[in-house]
Amino acid sequence: MTVIVEFARRHDLTIREASNYIRRFKGIDFLTEFYDVEHTLSFNDCVDDLTIVCQNNGGTLR
C-alpha cells in the first residue's frame, strides 16, 4: 500500500487514480510476483521499478 501512496505522490495522482493506473498497466502483477525483492528496496527504487513496468505495458507516466 505504501508504494501506491508514494507512486501517487510522485506522479501527482490521487491514491485511487494511482491504484487504477497500476492495476491497468500490470504494476500490481509485478508487485505481487516480485514482492520478495521489492520489499528490500527503498520506496524510491520501488516507485522507479513500478513506473518502468507500467511504461512497458502501455502506461504514459514518466
Side-chain angles (χ1 to χ4, degrees):
M1 181 63 184
T2 305
V3 174
I4 295 171
V5 171
E6 293 300 319
F7 185 91
R9 283 187 188 144
R10 178 175 305 169
H11 296 291
D12 197 28
L13 301 169
T14 66
I15 294 171
R16 172 172 266 159
E17 290 169 331
S19 180
N20 288 341
Y21 180 89
I22 292 167
R23 187 175 298 113
R24 178 176 180 197
F25 296 110
K26 312 274 189 245
I28 293 294
D29 296 339
F30 167 77
L31 290 174
T32 301
E33 184 173 349
F34 296 104
Y35 174 80
D36 57 332
V37 175
E38 289 297 312
H39 88 277
T40 66
L41 302 175
S42 71
F43 288 121
N44 281 334
D45 288 342
C46 289
V47 172
D48 290 345
D49 292 348
L50 191 54
T51 300
I52 291 167
V53 167
C54 290
Q55 287 172 350
N56 290 342
N57 287 290
T60 58
L61 294 177
R62 303 271 174 220

